[in-house]
Amino acid sequence: MLKWLMMVLLTAFSLPVLANDTDTLMGYWKTGDGKAIVQIYKKGEQFFGKIVWLAEPNDPQTGAPKKDGKNEDEKLQSRPLLGMENLTNFKYIEKGVWEDGKIYDPKSGETYSCTLKLTDANTLDVRGYVGISLFGRTDTWKRQKTK
């Protein structure tokens, strides 16, 4: 009876921890070059990210907000980078790993398959790739404190 009670208690106390692990990705992340901060949030059961800060938000030539000028879709070239969703459809796979998502790189105008891996509570490896993960690049993002 005591063993059964211990199992029930351990299960009850571990379920909230397991449920919250999926959400550890959420927050604000500074990109590896330090030029942007991306807010990662949840919609339903998937995770998304949008650019919420840019070191240089305005085009130095025009003074106007930077636009998504390299996007191959002409209709999207006039949208501002600030507020743009650049991470889409990530699924929690296992502790510290989210996959099956896409990352849009406004510097190149290209969209890549992507995997997100927490290496610790404040470090996120963002791996964009074409085809298989072997052919890609990893950028390390750092968690930022919210206001």
Side-chain angles (χ1 to χ4, degrees), residues 18-107:
L18 292 174
N20 290 336
D21 184 57
T22 64
D23 296 346
T24 58
L25 179 63
M26 294 192 307
Y28 295 85
W29 297 90
K30 186 175 273 189
T31 58
D33 64 7
K35 294 182 179 179
I37 293 177
V38 175
Q39 178 188 10
I40 298 179
Y41 51 93
K42 194 172 185 181
K43 289 189 213 174
E45 294 302 312
Q46 295 183 325
F47 295 84
F48 295 77
K50 67 180 175 181
I51 299 169
V52 296
W53 177 85
L54 292 168
E56 192 175 86
N58 295 328
D59 182 320
Q61 308 239 330
T62 65
K66 285 188 177 176
K67 306 282 185 196
D68 188 17
K70 296 204 176 171
N71 197 305
E72 64 181 35
D73 184 343
E74 287 184 26
K75 295 175 192 168
L76 298 177
Q77 291 176 357
S78 62
R79 72 178 172 171
L81 293 182
L82 202 56
M84 180 182 71
E85 197 168 73
N86 67 329
L87 297 174
T88 56
N89 303 317
F90 284 86
K91 296 175 190 158
Y92 176 78
I93 302 300
E94 62 185 5
K95 184 177 173 92
V97 179
W98 293 260
E99 294 180 348
D100 300 330
K102 300 284 184 186
I103 185 166
Y104 174 73
D105 178 10
K107 292 177 189 172

